[in-house]
Amino acid sequence: ILLAYSYLCQGYTQLKTRQKMIWNETIECMSREQLRDLQSQRLRKMADYVYHNTPFYRKKFQEMGLEPGDIRDIDDIVKLPFTNKLDLRDNYPFGLTAVPMSQIVRIHASSGTTGKPVVVLYTRKDLAMWTEAISRAFTAYGATKNDIFQVSYGYGLFTGGLGAHDGATNIGASVIPMSSGNTQKQITLMHDFGTSVLCCTPSYAMFLAETLKDCEWPRDEFKLRIGAFGAEPWTEEMRHKLETSLGIKAYDIYGLSEISGPGVGYECECQNGTHLNEDYFYPEILNPETGEPMPEGQLGELTFTHLTKEGMPLLRYRTHDLTALHYEKCACGRTLVRMDRILGRCDDMLIIRGVNVFPSQIESVILSLPEYEPHFLLTVDRKDNTDTSELQVEVKEEYYTDEMSTMVGLQKKLEAELRSVIGLGFKVRLVEPRAIERSTGKAKRVIDKRKL
């Protein structure tokens, strides 16, 4: 009897713990049938909304011979037009706005390093929806009102800083609005203020970990326990590296400015994929070349349709992110679709001497070996009509030496592993620790000098 009672209490405790880690159980654990009905209802409204409020989409509908009434349920989403980043730039700055500017309360934008910046607009309702999405993410990580968040994403036009800030505030946590950079001060306040949750890019988290090793305080004086890392692809090997070096549990948070920002998707305690907030953002996986839907579980291009956004709703926005979706119920209790870790972007994929290469593959190989730091820079060029590639990789301090034979051995070891895993020969150049420039935002991993 005592044993049975013990198991009962243990099960009750596990249930209560799980409930505490779900922010909105009604939505996050809704049956697939109910969720489909909700999505269908919202898609019908959205088709009518953009037709009557966004001239860009009204023109698209008319060119396709499509009327809002043709959208009856979520399966009809395939009838809707695609949207891509060029459409956003062609309509810069406010051409895709669906409400008067007097209703827009927030404007974010991309950096615009490859052309005109991509502008995104929010009404009050849009901000509330975004905050709800990030609150689900932080709660899934085990964060509560008792935590102190250090938001080291950039504030300003980038969505990361303010998005994470509002989500942490919404769950009742304390927030240190650090923004990125000023790394020594980041470490000082992390120690003095008792930061328990760190929000930043994984590459900057690694930089912070390196700095922590050399700081004046022992690791046990820090209260850090959770990392919410996103804004760039990262690997399981990078997760393990961050967890061991920072003494935390590292979680992925997925988002993109065009859809809302961080919080489009999030991992749960099972870390068996990224749950997507599909009551707000409907995901599809498409063949990147044909635009046709892919079967469940198959790798393809991720596409999102806004189901509730007011300020600047987008239909079937092609993210260029490559992943797969899985719809079976998660062990955490959530029914929201789970997305595989992003392999890379269609436009990030390099073709070198006929071989498809993603930077994440290179990172995975480097982190699988103990001698190297997770910092690299790939330079691709073309000489005499032949692709060339040089990969600079940092060697860990304990392995770096002046002995030429030892360094040559390390170089050949990495070259062999890259050739085995990726199927391509790279010229590896090993450099000393901290020789590669660090970034406080998204890491620069590739320089492609080819005129393609």
Side-chain angles (χ1 to χ4, degrees), residues 324-375:
L325 299 179
H326 305 278
Y327 289 87
E328 66 273 15
K329 186 177 181 179
C330 183
C332 72
R334 292 176 178 83
T335 54
L336 295 175
V337 64
R338 286 176 295 113
M339 176 182 76
D340 286 344
R341 187 175 285 275
I342 299 294
L343 174 63
R345 291 173 57 85
C346 302
D347 46 2
D348 280 348
M349 185 182 76
L350 296 162
I351 301 178
I352 305 174
R353 298 194 293 279
V355 178
N356 296 344
V357 179
F358 288 96
S360 59
Q361 293 175 299
I362 297 173
E363 179 185 274
S364 181
V365 171
I366 292 171
L367 285 170
S368 70
L369 302 171
E371 298 92 347
Y372 313 98
E373 295 285 2
H375 301 288

Side-chain angles (χ1 to χ4, degrees), residues 40 42-48 61 66-81:
S40 295
R42 289 181 170 178
L43 184 64
R44 287 194 296 270
K45 290 182 178 179
M46 182 56 68
D48 185 75
F61 275 46
L66 183 67
E67 295 186 359
D70 296 331
I71 307 301
R72 298 181 177 85
D73 60 37
I74 198 65
D75 290 337
D76 289 329
I77 197 166
V78 296
K79 300 177 181 178
L80 295 173

Side-chain angles (χ1 to χ4, degrees), residues 133-233:
I134 305 183
S135 299
R136 297 177 190 177
F138 290 158
T139 303
Y141 306 156
T144 71
K145 63 182 180 181
N146 298 315
D147 279 296
I148 297 177
F149 277 67
Q150 186 159 324
V151 179
S152 299
Y153 288 114
Y155 280 67
L157 290 177
F158 176 59
T159 55
L162 285 169
H165 185 118
D166 289 346
T169 301
N170 195 48
I171 69 171
S174 304
V175 184
I176 308 169
M178 278 300 302
S179 195
S180 57
N182 205 345
T183 302
Q184 289 297 336
K185 189 172 184 179
Q186 297 263 4
I187 300 299
T188 299
L189 296 190
M190 189 182 295
H191 174 270
D192 295 350
F193 290 2
T195 298
S196 55
V197 182
L198 173 65
C199 303
C200 62
T201 63
S203 55
Y204 189 52
M206 187 57 65
F207 186 28
L208 287 169
E210 291 176 348
T211 309
L212 266 171
K213 287 193 300 184
D214 302 327
C215 79
E216 59 187 292
W217 301 288
R219 180 64 187 82
D220 58 11
E221 288 190 12
F222 290 82
K223 296 181 179 180
L224 204 60
R225 67 186 189 90
I226 295 172
F229 304 133
E232 61 189 19

Side-chain angles (χ1 to χ4, degrees), residues 256-418:
L256 58 162
S257 298
E258 300 92 317
I259 302 304
S260 76
V264 173
Y266 57 93
E267 289 184 309
C268 64
E269 68 267 27
C270 300
Q271 294 188 315
N272 186 27
T274 297
H275 291 283
L276 298 178
N277 284 307
E278 54 177 319
D279 56 318
Y280 293 142
F281 325 109
Y282 185 78
E284 300 173 86
I285 296 293
L286 307 175
N287 182 312
E289 296 180 0
T290 67
E292 293 298 314
M294 299 288 286
E296 179 181 343
Q298 294 294 304
L299 181 70
E301 180 185 355
L302 181 63
T303 300
F304 283 110
T305 295
H306 282 123
L307 296 179
T308 61
K309 195 163 189 184
E310 292 181 333
M312 188 179 136
L314 301 178
L315 303 179
R316 307 189 81 193
Y317 181 75
R318 303 189 66 157
T319 68
H320 297 302
D321 286 337
L322 295 172
T323 186
L325 299 179
H326 305 278
Y327 289 87
E328 66 273 15
K329 186 177 181 179
C330 183
C332 72
R334 292 176 178 83
T335 54
L336 295 175
V337 64
R338 286 176 295 113
M339 176 182 76
D340 286 344
R341 187 175 285 275
I342 299 294
L343 174 63
R345 291 173 57 85
C346 302
D347 46 2
D348 280 348
M349 185 182 76
L350 296 162
I351 301 178
I352 305 174
R353 298 194 293 279
V355 178
N356 296 344
V357 179
F358 288 96
S360 59
Q361 293 175 299
I362 297 173
E363 179 185 274
S364 181
V365 171
I366 292 171
L367 285 170
S368 70
L369 302 171
E371 298 92 347
Y372 313 98
E373 295 285 2
H375 301 288
F376 66 90
L377 180 63
L378 174 64
T379 302
V380 185
D381 207 342
R382 178 164 290 170
K383 297 179 180 178
D384 299 325
N385 295 318
T386 301
D387 291 337
T388 63
S389 58
E390 180 185 87
L391 182 65
Q392 295 181 49
V393 182
E394 291 184 10
V395 178
K396 287 183 179 177
E397 193 168 348
E398 58 268 33
Y399 292 99
Y400 192 82
T401 176
D402 292 333
E403 294 182 11
M404 183 65 69
S405 60
T406 301
M407 296 303 290
V408 170
L410 290 177
Q411 174 190 334
K412 292 187 178 302
K413 177 181 179 179
L414 182 53
E415 288 177 343
E417 189 68 15
L418 288 164

Side-chain angles (χ1 to χ4, degrees), residues 428-443:
V428 171
R429 182 160 69 90
L430 300 180
V431 296
E432 62 185 338
R434 306 194 183 188
I436 296 174
E437 183 180 356
R438 302 298 193 257
S439 171
T440 58
K442 297 184 181 183

